[in-house]
Amino acid sequence: MTNSNREIAVDAIVVGAGFAGLYMLYRLRKLGLTAKVIEAGSDVGGTWYWNRYPGARCDVDTAMYSYGFDEKLQQEWEWSEHYAAQPELQRYLSHVADRFELRSDIWFDTRVATADYDERNASWTIATESGDTVHARWCILATGNLSVGRIPEIPGLKATSLPVYHTGNWPHEGVDFTGLDVAIIGTGSSGIQAIPEIAKAAKHLTVYQRTPSFTVPANNRPRDPAEYAELKKLYPELRRSLYAGEIYGAGEPLEPGSRFRRSVAIADASEDERRAEFQQRWDRGGGHFNGAFVDILTSETANEAAADFVRGKISEIVEDPEIAEKLSPRGIPIGTKRLAVDDGYYATFNRDNVTLVDLRDDPIAEVTDSGVRTEKSERRHDVIVFATGFDAMTGAILKIDITGCGGASLREKWAAGPRTYLGLMTHGFPNLLLVTGPGSPSVLGNVVCHIEQHVEFIADMLADAAARGEDVIEADLAAEDAWVERVNHQADQTLYPRANSWFLGANVPGKPRVFMPFVGGIGLYRQICDQVVADGYAGFERGKANQSAQAARG
Ligand code: N01
């Protein structure tokens, strides 16, 4: 990275040029504010810029995993498949950047190092790793929930001469696996997407699995033109019902109506009805499998029925019963780690060139120059792929050294877990706004609709403050404490805390175990936000900069 030493002052600085940062910039400009977006990558795209591993594709029907804010955009853009692959998503975001002429306000290849709040001026000073300085009234973090990849510490890994890749930071030129003996470590959503594709290309693929995950088929297919035309007519109603939480989580359905709305409790369905419901969802494909019954994430009985159905499918698909058993998750409620959506995952284990190593039985001891040594055996490999996930939700925020009022450090404030009001702001850090921050529903469901809701909330709040001549906004401490309590309480009513998931930070050694997303669903969350607005932005303290400075000086 070269030193650029630019210094500018704008109304708002936005960190990140993925789905959130692009739309935020668009809305800030609509408010007449000057803004700059800082992006570490060389192009827009965020997650879709970095995650280019083979098989990377959306796990939500992409027609709904797209912006709804511009009618012409959603009518004119043509998705080719139900579950678009990474290149198409990247093209879409690139198109959005060009269509709304956003690039001129984005600094690419630039990473934010520090952000410091100046109480006297009620403004933020952002310093980049390459020596730039930006002064801004508002600092908006659109850094993504899954953008800091993690490779576990394994003896010998740092010293190995083998090529090592992480799915979340994949080489742009791709990796040619032809004729190679490949190891992949990790079987979450990324591994589950990559494994079938790498198996097709490689001479041999060894899958090192520590915990089996539940996955359901995507049943991906090209879009049928007539069905797609019909969908486009229904966009407003579909988006309305998705935002209202009337359709399950990510918004798999492509038509409104009772068929896709939240279903009945499992106790109200007979054995035959249960099976039929699971089967039709399995056949249709996609993550809405977990919406079969309304209590799958709250009732052990309902959850076990769904889990049993999937385990039954694994034993039907996988020919070797021992491998089928190793692939079958037990003791982890289905859906408490994000349900993966795959394209031929289980059938991949029927291939002659695929080996499954169960790390529960035979843990990794070290990585060598020739491969991977487990406690019981040693295998030669030409390349190692890590699909070991992310320092999720807080990783990208805390990677920036952020100081707020009185020089307080956000890393210290969040040392025992993130504390926010509505996932939007954190007390002691005025004018710092988070898009889909911890404490919001964000990653549970369709993140694009959550992003749109947050960006619109932030833009409306800034417009309202401007209309009142206010330029300082801060989360009220009591409101924040009450929100954190509510997020925890709500999670405790579900089965979510039973899994060692990244939702809880359990995948990062030493990270506090706190359930980070709001599990109440986007419908309830939206109602709460609407009420906050109706009550004059209740829970947000607002004022004028000089008044705040006087207050700060005492
Ligand atoms: O990461 P993960 P991911 N030794 O944390 C294993 C989104 N996403 O990148 O469970 C051996 O889920 C770990 O094992 P365990 C989606 O929201 C979306 O796959 O900790 N193994 C697990 O198997 C998803 O949930 C799309 O025992 C180790 C795996 O690595 C999120 O990203 C596509 C290990 C990590 O799974 C993260 O998914 C892909 C070790 N030391 C991802 N450490 C879309 O389609 C970890 N593991 C939009």
Side-chain angles (χ1 to χ4, degrees), residues 53 57 59 152 186-190 193 210-211 337-338 389 502:
Y53 58 86
R57 62 174 68 245
D59 65 358
T187 51
S189 298
S190 304
Q193 288 187 332
R210 189 165 68 180
T211 312
K337 289 182 167 186
R338 185 167 172 116
W502 56 259

Side-chain angles (χ1 to χ4, degrees), residues 343-527:
D343 189 4
Y345 178 68
Y346 293 123
T348 297
F349 293 89
N350 295 333
R351 295 176 66 105
D352 292 339
N353 70 333
V354 174
T355 303
L356 178 67
V357 177
D358 187 348
L359 298 177
R360 293 167 296 183
D361 172 52
D362 187 12
I364 293 177
E366 65 168 338
V367 169
T368 66
D369 275 342
S370 57
V372 173
R373 189 172 67 77
T374 55
E375 285 184 2
K376 294 184 184 168
S377 58
E378 185 160 6
R379 291 176 182 79
R380 297 184 71 82
H381 301 298
D382 300 310
V383 42
I384 303 179
V385 174
F386 282 89
T388 42
F390 301 87
D391 182 356
M393 305 203 71
T394 53
I397 297 171
L398 296 181
K399 210 169 169 186
I400 303 170
D401 188 3
I402 300 175
T403 56
C405 294
S409 145
L410 186 61
R411 287 177 189 155
E412 280 172 27
K413 178 178 174 183
W414 286 9
R419 301 189 71 81
T420 70
Y421 178 47
L422 297 171
L424 280 159
M425 295 196 87
T426 186
H427 177 75
F429 297 79
N431 293 5
L432 179 73
L433 295 136
L434 314 172
V435 184
T436 64
S440 69
S442 58
V443 290
L444 298 178
N446 181 335
V447 77
V448 179
C449 76
H450 295 165
I451 284 170
E452 284 200 318
Q453 190 248 340
H454 259 199
V455 166
E456 287 162 14
F457 186 98
I458 291 170
D460 291 349
M461 185 161 70
L462 299 195
D464 188 70
R468 292 162 170 270
E470 295 164 344
D471 44 23
V472 185
I473 306 176
E474 181 178 0
D476 172 68
L477 183 58
E480 177 173 297
D481 287 347
W483 184 252
V484 171
E485 180 79 12
R486 183 168 186 171
V487 171
N488 290 334
H489 175 74
Q490 210 118 20
D492 288 342
Q493 308 305 305
T494 71
L495 302 174
Y496 275 111
R498 302 229 188 142
N500 286 326
S501 67
W502 56 259
F503 297 141
L504 273 161
N507 63 327
V508 179
K511 191 166 172 171
R513 196 182 163 99
V514 174
F515 195 83
M516 294 183 278
F518 173 75
V519 297
I522 187 154
L524 174 61
Y525 180 78
R526 215 179 151 80
Q527 280 170 23

Side-chain angles (χ1 to χ4, degrees), residues 530-549:
D530 289 349
Q531 193 58 49
V532 163
V533 176
D535 294 341
Y537 289 95
F540 292 99
E541 291 168 2
R542 306 187 310 162
K544 295 190 174 45
N546 52 3
Q547 288 173 351
S548 300

Side-chain angles (χ1 to χ4, degrees), residues 284-359:
R284 183 178 174 86
H288 76 128
F289 178 85
N290 257 6
F293 296 97
V294 74
D295 48 354
I296 284 184
L297 285 163
T298 50
S299 144
E300 282 182 38
T301 315
N303 195 283
E304 200 47 26
D308 255 351
F309 180 89
V310 176
R311 283 191 288 260
K313 289 291 175 193
I314 298 171
S315 61
E316 276 171 30
I317 298 167
V318 179
E319 289 156 7
D320 181 329
E322 259 184 56
I323 296 176
E325 184 49 35
K326 285 180 181 168
L327 288 168
S328 296
R330 297 200 185 269
I332 302 168
I334 186 169
T336 52
K337 289 182 167 186
R338 185 167 172 116
L339 183 62
V341 176
D342 73 89
D343 189 4
Y345 178 68
Y346 293 123
T348 297
F349 293 89
N350 295 333
R351 295 176 66 105
D352 292 339
N353 70 333
V354 174
T355 303
L356 178 67
V357 177
D358 187 348
L359 298 177

